[in-house]
Amino acid sequence: MSLAKKIDWRTAVPGKTTVLCLERSQFIKDIEELRSRTSLNWVTLSAVQLRAQQERWVPEADRLQGSFSTWLKEPRAAHLRPILECFGVALLQEAQRTMQIDAVVAANIDYWQDEAMKLACRSLGIPFLVLCRENYTIPWTVPWHHDFLAQTRFRFEGAGMAVFSEATKRAVAPSFDSSDDIWVTGAPRYDRWLDLPARPDGEKKHISLITFNDPGYMAVNTFLETAAVFDRMARADTQHALTWLVKCKKRSDKAEVLASLGAKADVHLKFEYDTPLFELYPRSRIVIGYNSLAMVEAMLTDAPVVVPCWGEARAERKNLLLDYNDPLTQRVITFAQSPEDLANLIDRAARGEKLLVGSPEDRRALFEAHVHLPGADGGPATASAATEAFVRHYVALAEHDRAERSLVGNSAARNISLSERVSA
């Protein structure tokens, strides 16, 4: 099968337990960390390529997250189930000609294109696992997810799931037979953040804006006002030799920002997409953003964080990742009350004034309110180690199940042989 040839085996070492990951954006950050911090093989296959292959059989109307798993058991799509299982089995068997696959890992529990791999794993006795790349700590998201699961009637039919936080565990729990199969491991991508060295003030040359122009942030107008202030301050800065950086969440952000500011903004603003935040934040005098886990990530550094808090961004608590009324959050994050307030904060940072950062203990506490950090409970010291333990647990269960089935099969064969001899 040609798709199996697209699996990236480059980091695999023979003899190690091997995990096939269905690679997606963001998820690759965790995979890269797991490759460097665990003794497992983490090989990858593009989820986009996996999807493209299946679009030949699955009608567009059926390609619906959550619902597709239910429809495969019903007349609407039951005819697709054997096709997808056959496809998944063939893919895994071809892959195993290169190296044994001990587990398959996806980034979400309910993407339609992952169902073929779930079916194949069940058929072959391979654990299908999830390392969830989503984190549900904005208050409205947990009840919303419960409603979504009830509406789609989705049930997780894999082996287990690892999540970043207790909130995410609560969000997905209704789709599991046992919540014990949801492990709170934290996020491997943050392991490298935990011991980041502070940069000298002289190396902090960035004024950084993290885009929140997507409608999903529910603050498009506030972002446009924020970007206009950022652009104006950048144009006025002629003496500080700073980098005025717009960190884009997606590639299309640059075009959208320039459409609102004018193409000339490209001269004095730098747009980046791929720069890791753990490299950017220690070099930043100020980080500006809204309703994004990226703001929480900054708590693992000493970068001052400023969050716009006017207009759409002064939202109800249920819609906010960071609560502007929370005393802990107020101790480590500055909430700009207007465009003018934001301009003043940016000017102070550009001139070298140190803005509010709070204590390292408070910053760590705010981070832990959103993402679990292993180690405090005497368990694995890192999220990568916790994730490795999670994978090994289900691989061992699968090996035990295979051994038991083999024993049962051998016993049945011996009984048949004995019966034949007695009859003879």
Side-chain angles (χ1 to χ4, degrees), residues 22-29 47-48 107 133 189 273:
L22 308 182
E23 180 186 339
R24 294 181 179 276
S25 64
Q26 299 304 314
F27 185 31
I28 190 62
K29 296 179 182 180
V48 174
R133 64 174 181 166
R189 69 187 69 171
Y273 172 78

Side-chain angles (χ1 to χ4, degrees), residues 150-315:
Q151 177 186 350
T152 60
R153 294 172 289 132
F154 175 80
R155 301 295 300 173
F156 180 61
E157 296 179 341
M161 180 180 191
V163 296
F164 294 176
S165 65
E166 286 288 345
T168 305
K169 180 173 181 174
R170 291 195 303 272
V172 301
S175 64
F176 280 71
D177 293 333
S178 171
S179 61
D180 290 342
D181 287 320
I182 309 171
W183 294 39
V184 182
T185 59
R189 69 187 69 171
Y190 296 128
D191 286 346
R192 71 176 65 186
W193 290 67
L194 298 180
D195 299 307
L196 282 177
R199 297 280 188 113
D201 289 345
E203 295 182 13
K204 298 179 184 292
K205 296 291 187 179
H206 284 67
I207 307 293
S208 303
L209 170 62
I210 313 300
T211 57
F212 55 96
N213 53 307
D214 189 279
Y217 292 104
M218 299 184 288
V220 171
N221 292 328
T222 303
F223 173 75
L224 294 176
E225 292 175 325
T226 298
V229 170
F230 194 80
D231 175 58
R232 185 176 76 248
M233 300 300 292
R235 280 188 283 111
D237 180 42
T238 58
Q239 54 183 329
H240 297 113
L242 300 173
T243 298
W244 294 76
L245 180 70
V246 179
K247 177 64 168 65
C248 300
K249 292 290 188 73
K250 56 184 187 298
R251 296 184 187 278
S252 60
D253 282 354
K254 178 177 180 179
E256 292 180 12
V257 173
L258 290 178
S260 66
L261 298 179
K264 291 184 179 179
D266 199 17
V267 175
H268 47 271
L269 298 181
K270 184 178 181 180
F271 292 81
E272 291 187 356
Y273 172 78
D274 292 326
T275 299
L277 293 180
F278 62 82
E279 293 180 4
L280 173 62
Y281 285 169
R283 294 184 279 127
S284 295
R285 297 185 180 186
I286 183 175
V287 174
I288 305 161
Y290 172 73
N291 240 20
S292 168
L293 198 58
M295 300 300 97
V296 175
E297 293 170 4
M299 295 299 101
L300 297 178
T301 72
D302 63 353
V305 174
V306 173
V307 174
C309 193
W310 71 85
E312 299 158 317
R314 196 170 186 84

Side-chain angles (χ1 to χ4, degrees), residues 350-378:
R351 288 187 284 105
E353 182 179 334
K354 293 187 177 182
L355 302 183
L356 171 75
V357 294
S359 70
E361 294 77 16
D362 280 347
R363 290 173 76 91
R364 184 65 62 94
L366 182 58
F367 182 87
E368 290 192 77
H370 294 273
V371 180
H372 173 69
L373 284 178
D377 56 0

